Amino acid sequence: MASINPANTSQSLVLRGDKPSPAGELICDHCGKKYSGQINESLKNYCCNGCQALDQAQLPSATTQFEFWDERAPQNEVAIYVEGVHCAACVTVLEQIPEKLPEDVVSSILDFSHAILKIRLAPNAKLSRVAHYIVQLGYRPHLLSEASERFAYRSAENRKLLIELGIAGALSGNIMLMSIPLYSGASGSFEKMFEWICFALATPSLFYSGRSFLKNTWHAFKNKSFSIDAPIALALLVAYFYSLYSLIQNTHELYFDSLSGLIFLLLSSRYLLLRIRQSSTLNLSSFFIDPKPFLGRVGDSVALQNGQSLAFDGVVRKGFVFVDTSKFTGESEPVQLNVGDSIFAGTEIIESSPDHIVEVLQVHPHTRIMKLFQKAEEFMHKKSNTSIFSDKLAKWLLVFISCLGFVLLAGMYLRGEFTEGLNRFLALLIVTCPCALALATPLVFVMASRKMLEQGIMVKDPQGLDAAMNINKVCFDKTGTLTYGKLELTRTDANLSENQWGILLGLCLKSRHPVSRAVVRYIQTQYPSIEGALIQDFQEIAGKGLRGFHNEKEFRFEQNRFYYVHSNQSEFTLCRFEFADKIRQGVRPLISELQSQGLKTFVLTGDTLENAQKVLAGVPGLKILAKLSPEEKANHVLDALMVGDGINDSLSLSKAKVSIAVQGGMEAAVQSSQIFLTQGGVEKIPLILSFAKKVKRALTLNFMISTAYNLLGATLAITGILNPLIAAIMMPLSALSVFSFTYFYFNYQKSAPALEEKA
Amino acid sequence: MSIVWLLVPLALLLGLGFVALFIWNAKSGQYDDLETPALRILSEPETKGSNQHE
């Protein structure tokens, strides 16, 4: 990025010279799109905030990262989740990929609301080239495996529901039309014809469009449980067969119109809810991100390349290996592994002794990392199965109402008023349909998710919010969560000339060690004009440091010390550095905020106590639990809110009562957490808690509304004031009242303004 | 009034035609993504042929 920026700046300066008017046509420095607007006072111009954010964000280094994308089984269509899609210009640049890479891509189509790019590949295409290009555009691509199939499945499901809904609507409209002559007094053969037409139209309405109600009820019944659709299904069936019976008996008691109208209204509310849900939450867990394939077999002895990300579990048999386990353990310091030490998939090789040999013990999918994934998945599954209180309540209410209905029907039958009894029975079943109650809970979560998404909080599993209402313990991961997760140069006594900086940069640019990368970052931000000097005979000595010659002089960077060596072997120190992971901004106020709410705060880390204390010095009240394995971490968080990132956290995130992943973490953390912060940092956590309280209040109020509604409806139905048709109109009205209440509650109430300002 | 015997089936047939049209629309995926096409039209195509649907 650093090398691209100056060019962009000069471009916009030229533009400013061309067009002196304050408002004119500008070129966005990020996406290259022309737009009109005010010239920015700063040097760069962007067409929208999204482009600005993306341009200024740090992008992943795109050197070797995507090569494994090419190792996939050949496919002609792939789906890529493109992180950072935000405006119309994104659609343009991403869909222009086929023109820019004609050898690789035949067509690319973006699904904007899900940020998923579907790419059709040319034969012999290189997917890594496509990935690089997407990175250059300023997005982060994530390859979705099997995604095309899953995606197709999802849209097929949407289409099916839409078709059912459309047909139900058409049928119900036509039945209403055909019922008009019946209500207005058609007689004789006309009456018979219209009645039979109504029957003919109502049949597909019930058995095609409404079959999901019947199916759900039947499946639940077979499993000896009670579906929320049961009274609906019961009412529909009773109404249908009673109408058919009276059609044959010529008693003109037809309910075909209310039956089909009910189906249409129910399906529309269901479809709407599905659409809202799909558009406001991105369900990453429905996709699985590809593991890197490994072609070796168990028992093979292999040599590793520097920079390689390991794809198998193994053990070091000879020599030693330096690895970066940050993806696995979340800790940033490189670790030296000697003969007999285990090495796990997911670690990155930094350096290794030339004679090293590693034996393969486990390959995908039996690696430790995949086991962590699987465990996380299992717990996710368990969690989503726990039904919430309102669901249970709705079920009991259903059983009660159905019993009441039958008692009513029997009583009326004994009194000889069967028709009136049936009317009241149907009205009761329809009006007390707990769909308002059943709708309320998901609706509140959907609205809350939407509001939170605007704040950069993505709620993947709403039950996390539910559980966040009653916790008293908050656990944090250290690296990457409370800290930035990478080594930073913290102190230096450097007083170097430009030439010497250049030599140091030249040395460090050749190495992938985290310390070298930290030095490179430091020099590039502090002295952007300096370029790496030419280094000859470069050596990277594992466990020691870097050596190289510049103008016949030997320079070394070892043990955080930069020095050169005279011909008589005496050393001359140029400068020293200190490195540390830096604590994130906002951690201190966050911890005191949480403690003022009466929450206990813990830090869980795999690092040593000493290191953790050094980094977290000055944060009072934070209890540090050090040297924990992922499994031990998981045991600490069973009753807590866990904030973490990194694969080592995925197990504890999935086991925690509430789990929040901060950005920068691996996809695994995203998959196992319930709540995900799209902007790095932990400042938003009090906001999440205040949202949880708000959700709780909304749930209670909604519950009260729908209960009152049902009680009133039931009374009216039993006393016979309500007939089934009016009940069918009242029923969706209750859902509507819950809907509008929830909408206004989340949109027009000032919520905890103090918290929002802090966040 | 006997014209009703012709008109009612005709009306139903017409309705059926629109339902069939709707099913075809839905099956060919025209309702899948209601957001992106609205944005797609905002950008001027630099060359043609890139933005065609599958």
Side-chain angles (χ1 to χ4, degrees), chain A residues 136-207:
Chain A
Q136 275 169 22
L137 289 175
Y139 308 98
R140 284 169 201 256
H142 304 269
L143 193 60
L144 302 173
S145 74
E146 310 164 47
S148 359
E149 294 104 78
R150 273 171 195 265
F151 206 65
Y153 174 73
R154 193 176 179 182
S155 63
E157 214 174 22
N158 279 357
R159 286 177 196 175
K160 212 184 88 197
L161 192 56
L162 186 66
I163 291 174
E164 282 174 10
L165 172 67
I167 290 179
L171 289 172
S172 129
N174 277 297
I175 291 176
M176 281 182 204
L177 216 58
M178 297 298 154
S179 300
I180 293 174
L182 294 175
Y183 286 117
S184 52
S187 60
S189 56
F190 280 129
E191 185 178 22
K192 257 319 359 115
M193 175 182 80
F194 285 117
E195 281 185 359
W196 279 102
I197 288 175
C198 284
F199 164 73
L201 293 177
T203 309
S205 177
L206 176 61
F207 293 105

Side-chain angles (χ1 to χ4, degrees), chain A residues 20-37:
Chain A
S21 64
E25 193 155 273
L26 298 168
I27 292 178
C28 177
D29 277 327
H30 175 67
C31 60
K33 215 177 148 45
K34 283 185 192 151
Y35 73 104
S36 57

Side-chain angles (χ1 to χ4, degrees), chain A residues 150-386:
Chain A
R150 273 171 195 265
F151 206 65
Y153 174 73
R154 193 176 179 182
S155 63
E157 214 174 22
N158 279 357
R159 286 177 196 175
K160 212 184 88 197
L161 192 56
L162 186 66
I163 291 174
E164 282 174 10
L165 172 67
I167 290 179
L171 289 172
S172 129
N174 277 297
I175 291 176
M176 281 182 204
L177 216 58
M178 297 298 154
S179 300
I180 293 174
L182 294 175
Y183 286 117
S184 52
S187 60
S189 56
F190 280 129
E191 185 178 22
K192 257 319 359 115
M193 175 182 80
F194 285 117
E195 281 185 359
W196 279 102
I197 288 175
C198 284
F199 164 73
L201 293 177
T203 309
S205 177
L206 176 61
F207 293 105
Y208 175 74
S209 295
R211 70 183 190 285
S212 59
F213 301 106
L214 307 180
K215 252 197 215 160
N216 290 346
T217 310
W218 176 241
H219 285 306
F221 187 69
K222 265 204 308 201
N223 297 325
K224 293 188 182 117
S225 82
F226 206 73
S227 156
I228 198 137
D229 291 335
I232 299 284
L234 190 67
L236 291 177
L237 284 174
V238 169
Y240 179 79
F241 285 107
Y242 181 71
S243 306
L244 182 60
Y245 171 77
S246 60
L247 180 62
I248 295 163
Q249 295 289 313
N250 245 337
T251 50
H252 312 301
E253 293 272 345
L254 302 188
Y255 294 99
F256 292 130
D257 46 352
S258 35
L259 170 104
S260 58
L262 188 65
I263 292 174
F264 175 59
L265 289 172
L266 286 172
L267 283 180
S268 0
S269 65
R270 236 162 243 207
Y271 183 74
L272 267 180
L273 201 67
L274 184 80
R275 259 335 243 264
I276 293 176
R277 209 185 258 179
Q278 285 180 349
S279 68
S280 59
T281 58
L282 175 81
N283 192 357
L284 264 182
S285 69
S286 62
F287 304 110
F288 229 105
I289 285 141
D290 256 359
K292 180 178 171 171
F294 172 66
L295 303 172
R297 275 187 314 231
V298 175
D300 285 358
S301 291
V302 292
L304 307 172
Q305 286 172 312
N306 290 0
Q308 179 188 3
S309 172
L310 212 60
F312 57 87
D313 287 355
V315 61
V316 181
R317 288 290 180 221
K318 203 175 162 197
F320 59 89
V321 184
F322 258 90
V323 291
D324 173 3
T325 56
S326 62
K327 271 186 197 161
F328 196 66
T329 64
E331 307 306 336
S332 52
E333 297 265 351
V335 181
Q336 181 175 359
L337 300 175
N338 298 311
V339 174
D341 283 343
S342 300
I343 181 168
F344 296 110
T347 52
E348 197 177 314
I349 314 303
I350 298 170
E351 316 162 3
S352 47
S353 63
D355 59 338
H356 78 281
I357 282 175
V358 172
E359 189 189 333
V360 181
L361 292 185
Q362 291 286 4
V363 293
H364 178 80
H366 305 291
T367 54
R368 186 171 167 211
I369 202 164
M370 286 314 289
K371 277 185 191 139
L372 280 180
F373 269 129
Q374 280 159 13
K375 269 193 198 168
E377 282 264 305
E378 271 169 37
F379 280 104
M380 282 282 293
H381 198 64
K382 259 184 204 155
K383 240 179 220 167
S384 56
N385 276 351
T386 53

Side-chain angles (χ1 to χ4, degrees), chain A residues 288-516:
Chain A
F288 229 105
I289 285 141
D290 256 359
K292 180 178 171 171
F294 172 66
L295 303 172
R297 275 187 314 231
V298 175
D300 285 358
S301 291
V302 292
L304 307 172
Q305 286 172 312
N306 290 0
Q308 179 188 3
S309 172
L310 212 60
F312 57 87
D313 287 355
V315 61
V316 181
R317 288 290 180 221
K318 203 175 162 197
F320 59 89
V321 184
F322 258 90
V323 291
D324 173 3
T325 56
S326 62
K327 271 186 197 161
F328 196 66
T329 64
E331 307 306 336
S332 52
E333 297 265 351
V335 181
Q336 181 175 359
L337 300 175
N338 298 311
V339 174
D341 283 343
S342 300
I343 181 168
F344 296 110
T347 52
E348 197 177 314
I349 314 303
I350 298 170
E351 316 162 3
S352 47
S353 63
D355 59 338
H356 78 281
I357 282 175
V358 172
E359 189 189 333
V360 181
L361 292 185
Q362 291 286 4
V363 293
H364 178 80
H366 305 291
T367 54
R368 186 171 167 211
I369 202 164
M370 286 314 289
K371 277 185 191 139
L372 280 180
F373 269 129
Q374 280 159 13
K375 269 193 198 168
E377 282 264 305
E378 271 169 37
F379 280 104
M380 282 282 293
H381 198 64
K382 259 184 204 155
K383 240 179 220 167
S384 56
N385 276 351
T386 53
S387 35
I388 329 173
F389 170 71
S390 70
D391 270 7
K392 278 186 193 158
L393 192 87
K395 269 183 193 171
W396 281 110
L397 200 69
L398 286 176
V399 177
F400 175 70
I401 293 290
S402 311
C403 295
L404 191 70
F406 279 112
V407 171
L408 180 76
L409 194 62
M412 296 296 275
Y413 177 73
L414 290 177
R415 280 172 57 188
E417 299 174 61
F418 183 71
T419 318
E420 178 60 23
L422 193 72
N423 262 336
R424 293 186 189 181
F425 172 71
L426 291 180
L428 178 69
L429 285 192
I430 292 166
V431 83
T432 56
C433 160
C435 45
L437 193 60
L439 187 78
T441 314
L443 196 69
V444 166
F445 285 129
V446 166
M447 291 305 294
S449 310
R450 215 173 220 201
K451 283 278 131 187
M452 290 170 82
L453 199 62
E454 287 167 17
Q455 302 276 346
I457 305 163
M458 192 179 275
V459 181
K460 259 185 52 214
D461 180 2
Q463 294 191 27
L465 268 187
D466 204 25
M469 299 166 202
N470 358 293
I471 44 131
N472 54 14
K473 189 174 159 190
V474 183
C475 296
F476 293 94
D477 171 53
K478 182 175 75 79
T479 311
T481 306
L482 290 182
T483 69
Y484 287 101
K486 56 184 179 192
L487 284 179
E488 289 294 341
L489 206 155
T490 48
R491 257 179 54 192
T492 172
D493 58 0
N495 187 15
L496 302 181
S497 69
E498 278 205 10
N499 192 24
Q500 287 166 330
W501 278 122
I503 295 166
L504 182 60
L505 183 63
L507 272 175
C508 291
L509 276 175
K510 286 181 181 273
S511 155
R512 292 176 55 85
H513 194 281
V515 168
S516 317

Side-chain angles (χ1 to χ4, degrees), chain A residues 92 95 99 112 159 275, chain B residues 27 32 36 40 43 47 50:
Chain A
T92 319
E95 294 195 341
E99 292 155 41
F112 181 78
R159 286 177 196 175
R275 259 335 243 264
Chain B
K27 282 206 168 151
D32 282 359
T36 321
R40 206 171 273 150
S43 65
T47 48
S50 66

